Amino acid sequence: MKPIATIHTGFPTKFGIPRQSGLVPELKATIVFEPLYRNADALRGLEGFSHIWLIWEFSEAVRQEWSPTVRPPRLGGNTRIGVFATRSPFRPNPIGLSCVRLESIETCTPQGPVLHVSGADLMDGTPIYDIKPYIPYTDCQPDATPGFTGNFCMNRLDVIIPESFAANIKPGTLQALRGILAEDPRPRYQDDPDRQYGLDFDGYSVKFKVTAGTLTVIDIRPCR
């Protein structure tokens, strides 16, 4: 297989990326096709779908060896689960699957057709291997069971970004940043109120602390 496209997001590193697609709908991304696939005919009819599946590579997690079990962060990083019962990036084949909203399609740009999507959980520069339409009547399974993930509540953090920081960030980035921080980007097994965490997003370096369910931003500045 070979990549057909590359996705461009606001995440230069893995830390802070939402753990699943769709959790932060404010996140915007663009998909640019490789020269061989810059053909608008290949996208004919795609505009009729609200969501698409992205099949991609965990490009930062490629390994020669694999393990039959992994330690999901949701379980505190101590309990081992079969790799095929998780969405861990450390797999025999480092392939990821994400469902994103298709916002629009630009057919005429210097880079050929470009897809604009939202809700992506991918790092900037991630290679895309395939794109397929999301089909509600078959892809949505209302009676599906959640396995071990059903034992956890998706509690969002309260986020405080002081106005002195917020005023210097463009509105779209600020809204997306709030969503990212509310999902609690810390490792699940870390809960030290005195610890300072940091992530890079959309050209900004963000520092924060978390205490009793409230995340407070303590510094935002442009990335160097």
Side-chain angles (χ1 to χ4, degrees):
M1 295 197 303
K2 52 189 173 184
I4 64 164
T6 300
I7 193 167
H8 298 285
T9 73
F11 294 103
T13 64
K14 294 183 292 184
F15 187 78
I17 297 177
R19 293 175 175 86
Q20 303 292 340
S21 58
L23 291 178
V24 184
E26 298 87 357
L27 287 175
K28 307 299 182 184
T30 57
I31 297 173
V32 177
F33 289 87
E34 296 298 315
L36 182 61
Y37 305 103
R38 293 177 182 176
N39 188 324
D41 286 342
L43 302 175
R44 189 183 303 171
L46 190 63
E47 71 280 356
F49 295 90
S50 64
H51 292 73
I52 56 177
W53 290 107
L54 303 179
I55 300 172
W56 48 278
E57 182 186 44
F58 286 104
S59 52
E60 297 298 305
V62 177
R63 295 182 175 183
Q64 295 297 319
E65 304 295 331
W66 73 286
S67 171
T69 61
V70 295
R71 295 183 291 183
R74 271 184 173 275
L75 298 179
N78 297 315
T79 303
R80 285 196 169 274
I81 297 290
V83 64
F84 298 131
T86 75
R87 296 189 177 184
S88 167
F90 305 112
R91 323 184 66 78
N93 292 307
I95 296 173
L97 178 69
S98 298
C99 180
V100 299
R101 174 177 285 277
L102 178 60
E103 299 288 353
S104 64
I105 302 174
E106 276 190 281
T107 56
C108 297
T109 80
Q111 297 172 305
V114 172
L115 304 185
H116 296 270
V117 302
S118 60
D121 57 339
L122 286 75
M123 191 171 72
D124 184 53
T126 295
I128 307 295
Y129 282 109
D130 202 4
I131 295 169
K132 300 179 185 290
Y134 177 94
I135 302 175
Y137 79 85
T138 183
D139 291 349
C140 179
Q141 302 293 333
D143 59 346
T145 57
F148 71 87
T149 66
N151 298 324
F152 301 90
C153 295
M154 298 296 290
N155 294 324
R156 290 168 63 89
L157 298 176
D158 294 324
V159 176
I160 298 175
I161 303 180
E163 181 59 31
S164 58
F165 297 139
N168 296 321
I169 301 178
K170 53 189 178 182
T173 297
L174 181 62
Q175 185 179 12
L177 179 60
R178 287 187 182 278
I180 295 164
L181 297 176
E183 289 295 328
D184 193 355
R186 299 175 301 167
R188 293 292 187 188
Y189 46 83
Q190 291 185 3
D191 190 23
D192 182 355
D194 296 321
R195 181 166 180 169
Q196 177 179 300
Y197 300 87
L199 64 84
D200 293 339
F201 174 67
D202 206 17
Y204 295 93
S205 178
V206 182
K207 306 294 184 184
F208 62 90
K209 290 186 175 182
V210 181
T211 304
T214 297
L215 184 151
T216 302
V217 172
I218 58 177
D219 189 41
I220 299 180
R221 62 186 62 193
C223 293
R224 295 179 179 177

